[in-house]
Amino acid sequence: MAARARSGPTGDALEELVGEVLGVHHADPASGFGVVELDPGDGAPGERCSGPLADLVEGQTVRLVGRRRDHPRHGPTFEAVLYEQVAPASIAALTTFLASDRFAAVPEGDRLRVLTVFGSGLADVIEREPERLVGEAGLEAEAARSLTEAWQTGRALARLVAIVAAAGWPMDAARSAHARFGADVVSVAESDPYALLAAERVRFAHVDALALSLGVARDDPRRAEAGALAALGAARRSGGHQHLAVDELVAAAGTLLGVDRVLARAGLDAALAAGALEAEVLDGVMVVSTPAALAAERGLAAGLARLLDGAPPPVAAPALAEALSGALTGVLAGTRGDAVVLTQGQQRAVERALSSGVSVLTGGPGTGKTTALDALVATARALGLNVALAAPTGRAAKRLEEV
């Protein structure tokens, strides 16, 4: 067993453990946590290992860095903090590794062929001379490309984990970056960490910690530009804002970056020049949004205008007036068990909904939206109309149906 002491971040000694994955006992794709059995290859019993190992597969050879602990659930365990993929050393290990789901896109016959032709030297061929997969093993170009990509992608995730571990990345962020950039993820991380923000679950705090650990200066223009994007993204997630006024965004970016307004504004200008953000004037105020958010809002506005202009009212005016004048309170009393008197605003909401092709009802908690909705449904039914409810999630749909 290859073991070597290292200095851990807290002063504890770290060890290296190299071996072949004999089996996967537990793998949580969401968190990246996994428990595997590792054969150190020196005749010693297999060791149970845990950590960010959910992507490991049987037959894979890895180098783990971590500490031995007594895990409360899994017993004596080597707790890894990071791992690195190592080329499988034996034909048996290579055969098992290539049989994993990672290589499902490569026909089984092609996998057997490259093992037969190159034997234990297959790893060197894939990593250094992949053209030989076609020239000597006779694979089709597409199969050779799939085999090489699957091999390199697995190695890229291992290398990324090693790079981001010091920056405190959660495993789901590393997996998200890997899913977005594939085999190129390490070169992207090393050349421009802020580009990793394109991955769905990667946040500014993740890439900023990585960038600073790689020596990127706090006043680097790339950091300032990324800060503008991140500040707008944070406003969207926390407050639902699709855009911010320029002054608000500059202030938020400056706070996020810990820099003055001049540098924060320079970052915003760079993002606008690159097309990563877009600006427009609303009610005399310059606001900034992402191209996707701006396109969505414009599309929504165009759709609403189309419905308002072209859709006939669901109920003719005389029938609607008759229903609202006498039947509404009685209908509500029948559904709720007590008489309900609508406010003028609620009554206007029901009238507008039933006399327009589309309407939007807004208001904070306790302003009577549910009562107005109840009145709308009850009145529509009284008028013989069909009612359909829709919501963005199953839970919201159930709640809507209940009220």
Side-chain angles (χ1 to χ4, degrees), residues 32-273:
F33 179 80
V35 180
V36 303
E37 195 79 15
L38 201 72
D39 178 10
D42 58 358
E47 287 209 41
R48 183 156 293 195
C49 307
S50 66
L53 310 178
D55 289 283
L56 299 187
V57 296
E58 290 186 21
Q60 190 170 3
T61 303
V62 291
R63 177 182 294 107
L64 307 182
V65 177
R67 305 175 183 86
R68 285 178 170 77
R69 292 283 189 267
D70 194 10
H71 195 281
R73 179 178 176 184
H74 302 294
T77 303
F78 186 91
E79 291 190 352
V81 295
L82 57 91
Y83 74 91
E84 178 184 10
Q85 179 173 307
V86 178
S90 66
I91 295 293
L94 273 168
T95 302
T96 304
F97 185 39
L98 292 177
S100 67
D101 289 343
R102 179 172 295 171
F103 297 92
V106 182
E108 183 178 358
D110 288 343
R111 285 178 265 167
L112 178 61
R113 186 180 307 145
V114 295
L115 281 171
T116 302
V117 173
F118 300 113
S120 59
L122 176 61
D124 285 338
V125 171
I126 294 175
E127 293 176 11
R128 296 183 176 86
E129 301 174 285
E131 66 277 2
R132 293 176 62 191
L133 297 173
V134 175
E136 295 183 32
L139 267 61
E140 296 291 335
E142 180 63 23
R145 184 189 62 79
S146 296
L147 176 61
T148 302
E149 283 189 358
W151 185 284
Q152 297 291 4
T153 298
R155 179 171 287 254
L157 178 58
R159 291 180 59 202
L160 180 66
V161 170
I163 291 172
V164 303
W169 277 41
M171 190 60 188
D172 65 335
R175 290 163 61 89
S176 179
H178 178 256
R180 171 65 176 79
F181 294 98
D184 296 328
V185 67
V186 174
S187 62
V188 172
E190 293 176 337
S191 62
D192 183 9
Y194 295 102
L196 298 178
L197 283 169
E200 182 180 0
R201 301 187 65 83
V202 175
R203 296 290 178 258
F204 180 79
H206 301 148
V207 297
D208 201 39
L210 175 61
L212 296 176
S213 72
L214 294 175
V216 175
R218 297 184 65 84
D219 60 354
D220 190 294
R222 295 173 299 173
R223 182 173 187 263
E225 181 178 343
L229 292 166
L232 184 58
R236 182 175 62 252
R237 289 190 298 272
S238 63
H241 302 297
Q242 291 301 300
H243 59 252
L244 284 181
V246 168
D247 287 345
E248 291 181 68
L249 182 53
V250 169
T255 300
L256 178 67
L257 296 168
V259 300
D260 59 33
R261 292 181 62 88
V262 174
L263 187 56
R265 179 57 195 255
L268 171 57
D269 291 341
L272 290 169

Side-chain angles (χ1 to χ4, degrees), residues 315-369:
V315 181
L320 177 59
E322 181 181 351
L324 288 172
S325 63
L328 184 55
T329 300
V331 170
L332 283 170
T335 59
R336 290 194 171 189
D338 56 353
V340 176
V341 178
L342 298 183
T343 65
Q344 287 186 344
Q346 290 168 330
Q347 184 165 329
R348 281 198 304 272
V350 176
E351 292 173 345
R352 185 67 60 84
L354 291 172
S355 61
S356 304
V358 62
S359 61
V360 179
L361 175 63
T362 65
T367 55
K369 297 187 302 298

